[in-house]
Amino acid sequence: SYLPVALLLGAGLAYGAYRLQVNRLSFKEQLRSAMRANEFQVYYQPVYGHLSGQCEGVEALMRWNRPGVGFVRPDIFIAAAEAEEMIIPLTQHLLRLIERDLQTWSTPPDFHIGVNIAPEHLSSAGLVSDIQTFMANVAARHPLIVLEITERSLIADSGQARQNIDVLRAQGVRVAIDDFGTGHCSLSYLQKFPVDYLKIDKGFVQAIQDSGDETPVLDVIITLAQRLNLAVVAEGVETQPQFDYLTSRGVAFIQGYLFARPMPSAEFVPWYVRHSPPGSAS
Ligand code: C2E
Ligand code: MG
Ligand code: MG
Ligand code: MG
C-alpha cells in the first residue's frame, strides 16, 4: 500500500522542517553565547590619507575567534547573522567593544572610525539611537564616525534608511558607500542619496598591474566620484604601483596591506604611536 510511504515521506518532511528550525535557533543561540563569552573582537585597519601623509583613521572589522575552531571568516558569519536577524544585536555588541578599546587610544579629534552597517540595521528605526549612544560613549575622543553602507542598502530603502542618514549626517556622522561597483546600484541612487565617500572595491584596485594594463572601469569610478564631489577611498591596496596609480589620480584615502593590516586594539595603539608625527597624538 502507499500509505506507509506517504506517512514516511510526511514524517521526513516534517522532520526536515523541524531540524531546520532547531538549527536556526541553535545558530542564534551560538551567536548569543559567543557574545556572552566574549569571543568577538574588533580588528582595526589603518587608513592612510594622501593629503596629510599619515593615518587618518581606521575601519573596524569584526573577528570571531571560536574556541577549538579558530577564526571564522567574517563574510560568512556576518551573512549568517543577517539571515538569522542577529546582525543588529551583533553590531550593537561591536559598538560596545569599540567604546572599550577607544578608552586606551590617544587619537586626535576627527580621527575616522569606520563601522560597517548592514542594510537591515540601516533601515531600522533604532539605528539613530544606536549611533547616538555610541557617539556619547566615545565623546572623550571625539572621533569622526563613518558608516560604511552597501549599494544593497540604497536599493532596498523604503525611506527609513534615507531618514536615518539625514538625521545622523546633520549630527556630523559621515557615510561611505562600501565595495562600490560590485552591487547593482543604479547610478541615479548616487545623486539621490547624500553620501560623503566612495570606497572602491578591492577587485578594481587589484586590476592595477605593474605591467601598466589599462583599468577603464576603475578610472571611470574615480572620475564619477570626483564629479559628484565624493572623496574616494581605495581598499585592498597591496603594491606600490597600485598606490602610485591611485594617488596620482587624486584618490584621497588608501587602505590595504601595503599600509597596514587589520590588528587588535593592543597592537594598533603602539602602531599608531610609531606612525604619527611626534607630538601630534593628543
Ligand atoms: P569590507 O567592509 O569591504 O572590509 C574590507 C575587507 O578587505 C576586510 O576583510 C579587510 O581585512 C580586507 N582587506 C583589507 N586590505 C586588504 C588587502 O590589501 N588585500 C586583501 N586581499 N584584503 C584586504 P574582512 O575583515 O575579512 O571582512 C570582510 C567583510 O565582512 C567586510 O568587507 C564587511 O563587508 C564584512 N564585515 C566585517 N566586519 C563587519 C561588521 O562589523 N559588520 C558588518 N555588517 N560587516 C562586517
Ligand atoms: Mg567596509
Ligand atoms: Mg569594502
Ligand atoms: Mg570589500
Side-chain angles (χ1 to χ4, degrees), residues 41-99:
Q41 232 186 323
V42 189
Y43 273 43
Y44 300 92
Q45 184 172 35
V47 177
Y48 172 85
H50 185 53
L51 259 181
S52 64
Q54 67 188 61
C55 175
E56 289 290 323
V58 292
E59 176 175 6
L61 295 158
M62 199 156 359
R63 294 290 179 265
W64 185 6
N65 194 352
R66 292 193 89 168
V69 176
F71 284 96
V72 185
R73 277 183 50 181
D75 45 345
I76 292 181
F77 74 78
I78 297 286
E82 284 187 39
E84 304 289 332
E85 297 176 338
M86 283 294 286
I87 192 64
I88 293 178
L90 197 56
T91 305
Q92 291 166 337
H93 183 71
L94 173 101
L95 295 174
R96 299 292 88 77
L97 297 176
I98 299 175
E99 290 164 6

Side-chain angles (χ1 to χ4, degrees), residues 3-206:
L3 191 63
V5 177
L7 272 177
L8 254 173
L9 251 172
L13 285 174
Y15 179 65
Y18 167 77
R19 270 193 31 163
L20 204 66
Q21 254 189 352
V22 168
N23 282 343
R24 292 205 159 182
L25 285 177
S26 74
F27 184 71
K28 267 190 185 174
E29 252 328 301
Q30 284 170 39
L31 285 177
R32 286 204 188 96
S33 82
M35 285 190 255
R36 282 191 300 267
N38 248 313
E39 292 172 16
F40 292 99
Q41 232 186 323
V42 189
Y43 273 43
Y44 300 92
Q45 184 172 35
V47 177
Y48 172 85
H50 185 53
L51 259 181
S52 64
Q54 67 188 61
C55 175
E56 289 290 323
V58 292
E59 176 175 6
L61 295 158
M62 199 156 359
R63 294 290 179 265
W64 185 6
N65 194 352
R66 292 193 89 168
V69 176
F71 284 96
V72 185
R73 277 183 50 181
D75 45 345
I76 292 181
F77 74 78
I78 297 286
E82 284 187 39
E84 304 289 332
E85 297 176 338
M86 283 294 286
I87 192 64
I88 293 178
L90 197 56
T91 305
Q92 291 166 337
H93 183 71
L94 173 101
L95 295 174
R96 299 292 88 77
L97 297 176
I98 299 175
E99 290 164 6
R100 200 193 53 194
D101 288 342
L102 281 192
Q103 291 179 2
T104 66
W105 294 16
S106 49
T107 45
D110 291 331
F111 190 74
H112 299 198
I113 309 281
V115 178
N116 293 285
I117 299 294
E120 185 199 340
H121 200 177
L122 186 73
S123 60
S124 75
L127 180 83
V128 169
S129 71
D130 284 349
I131 300 301
Q132 284 171 338
T133 302
F134 176 64
M135 286 166 79
N137 292 342
V138 297
R141 292 275 152 265
H142 219 286
L144 193 152
I145 315 288
V146 183
L147 303 183
E148 300 197 1
I149 67 173
T150 60
E151 294 166 282
R152 265 193 304 149
S153 288
L154 305 189
I155 296 165
D157 181 37
S158 58
Q160 181 74 54
R162 169 69 198 254
Q163 201 183 315
N164 288 342
I165 287 176
D166 287 343
V167 172
L168 289 169
R169 278 182 87 245
Q171 296 174 14
V173 171
R174 297 209 185 147
V175 177
I177 309 254
D178 204 355
D179 303 332
F180 186 78
T182 60
H184 302 279
C185 183
S186 151
L187 292 180
S188 64
Y189 284 99
L190 280 182
Q191 255 179 339
K192 282 192 295 201
F193 248 88
V195 300
D196 306 282
Y197 302 99
L198 227 166
K199 289 192 84 166
I200 301 181
D201 190 69
K202 52 180 166 286
F204 298 112
V205 169
Q206 287 166 1

